[in-house]
Amino acid sequence: IYKWYRSGLNRWHGPGSTPDFQDIIEDRCYNYTQRIRPDSRSRNCQEIKQAFMSAFISKDPCKATKEDYRRLIDLADPTVPCNKRVLWSKTKELAREYAKLRGLVTLEDTLLGFLADGLHWCGEPGSPDLNTWSCPDWEKDCRTNYRSVFWKVLSERFAESACGTVQVLLNGSLENAFDEMSIFGRVEAPNLKPMVTLQVWLVHDPGKPPRDSCSGSSITKLKSILSERNVRFICRDNLRTRLPILSNIRRLRKQPCGLF
Ligand code: N1C
């Protein structure tokens, strides 16, 4: 019976739920609401944790819907300013450093983004527990898994409610800095509001020659998606910085032509 049980829980190709998921959510929630953003102190962390758990516990891990997260999102709707948003694709650490230095915000600066950052979670029909053996992988198992749907819903809301100038850091050390299949490509860029300006920063590793540029085909594709939506577009490339961890951020900040 144990063997059967284990093989059932082990059938997905992605990492299993993060151990102590519930405790991490709770700790992060108190940390965020009391220390990081004390203006959000009125949020009820117990209720938020319960809403998160009941979104996916005992459910088929491949049948996540937006609806499943509705209650959680209602409880923790972000209040970050609409004109200070930073998006990213394959440049997460750098984007966060950049946002911090410029007083801007990424999705991980909102309560829900902060709670779920770097975690994995999924349940199992008929079980009150998280599956810590494996969770569905986006490519190999199913796209409608609870983690993907979560980031999709959050990213969509973050992008569609943005205003003014939105910045995005893309990775110019890749062949296609703009990846149509990424969350930025599928969800965020196509949901920006007309009249928003998207400022693209194409950054690349100083140790390597850039592989993509503002005039390359992937960025041209992005430009056309945006122009259909009446989103204004500015692109700057040849910005050298270490990816993904930025060790020389302070030095770059002092350079007049650098990203900072
Ligand atoms: O698929 P991506 O990047 O283009 O998604 C990034 C894009 C950002 O602008 C964020 O606003 O979408 C948002 N976002 C997150 O904030 C986030 N935090 C953690 C999307 N995904 C996020 N994750 C996880 O990293 C999630 O599991 C997702 O699949 C990856 C995104 O990686 P990417 O391809 O570099």
Side-chain angles (χ1 to χ4, degrees):
I1 287 174
Y2 176 72
K3 235 177 161 178
W4 167 83
Y5 179 71
R6 195 189 145 170
S7 67
L9 291 175
N10 229 344
R11 70 181 173 286
W12 308 115
H13 296 87
S17 305
T18 309
D20 305 318
F21 178 83
Q22 284 209 60
D23 295 341
I24 298 174
I25 293 292
E26 193 173 329
D27 287 353
R28 286 186 179 180
C29 185
Y30 285 117
N31 192 9
Y32 185 93
T33 54
Q34 290 173 10
R35 261 171 285 203
I36 298 174
R37 293 281 305 268
D39 54 316
S40 61
R41 223 175 267 155
S42 60
R43 311 265 201 203
N44 182 335
C45 284
Q46 286 302 324
E47 214 179 344
I48 288 173
K49 185 185 76 179
Q50 291 308 331
F52 205 150
M53 301 307 289
S54 60
F56 69 96
I57 286 294
S58 305
K59 297 184 185 170
D60 182 333
C62 273
K63 292 204 174 129
T65 65
K66 269 188 182 180
E67 276 308 302
D68 289 321
Y69 286 116
R70 183 185 287 272
R71 192 173 135 68
L72 177 63
I73 284 179
D74 286 347
L75 283 174
D77 214 22
T79 52
V80 293
C82 69
N83 60 347
K84 294 197 168 172
R85 302 193 179 178
V86 176
L87 308 176
W88 50 268
S89 194
K90 320 285 186 289
T91 53
K92 182 174 171 182
E93 304 303 327
L94 177 65
R96 292 176 74 167
E97 291 287 343
Y98 172 71
K100 210 165 144 193
L101 282 169
R102 303 273 300 252
L104 305 171
V105 288
T106 64
L107 188 48
E108 287 74 21
D109 294 310
T110 68
L111 175 56
L112 290 181
F114 183 82
L115 292 186
D117 190 22
L119 303 182
H120 291 266
W121 62 94
C122 67
E124 181 69 11
S127 157
D129 301 322
L130 284 89
N131 181 351
T132 49
W133 293 97
S134 67
C135 287
D137 174 78
W138 192 75
E139 273 174 1
K140 296 188 185 134
D141 301 307
C142 54
R143 298 195 167 185
T144 51
N145 65 63
Y146 277 91
R147 186 166 182 260
S148 310
V149 170
F150 176 88
W151 287 115
K152 184 165 182 261
V153 176
L154 244 62
S155 305
E156 188 174 283
R157 296 171 66 95
F158 194 63
E160 75 189 3
S161 61
C163 67
T165 299
V166 177
Q167 326 231 7
V168 63
L169 272 73
L170 299 179
N171 190 337
S173 295
L174 301 174
E175 195 181 330
N176 293 306
F178 173 62
D179 171 6
E180 276 186 89
M181 292 306 280
S182 66
I183 296 189
F184 172 70
R186 280 183 298 127
V187 181
E188 294 179 325
N191 275 297
L192 290 170
K193 283 262 155 45
M195 306 318 290
V196 159
T197 299
L198 185 71
Q199 162 82 66
V200 178
W201 300 102
L202 210 55
V203 288
H204 68 89
D205 200 304
K208 296 178 203 155
R211 294 179 70 193
D212 204 354
S213 72
C214 288
S215 52
S217 64
S218 86
I219 300 291
T220 307
K221 173 78 198 172
L222 170 61
K223 203 173 164 181
S224 80
I225 293 175
L226 297 171
S227 75
E228 277 167 31
R229 295 189 53 80
N230 265 325
V231 172
R232 293 172 52 202
F233 171 88
I234 306 170
C235 183
R236 281 209 47 199
D237 56 16
N238 244 335
L239 300 159
R240 286 181 295 154
T241 189
R242 216 167 283 287
L243 288 167
I245 309 273
L246 193 72
S247 49
N248 54 355
I249 196 156
R250 305 241 168 248
R251 187 169 60 75
L252 268 171
R253 195 184 182 188
K254 294 191 187 110
Q255 290 178 2
C257 296
L259 176 56
F260 304 97

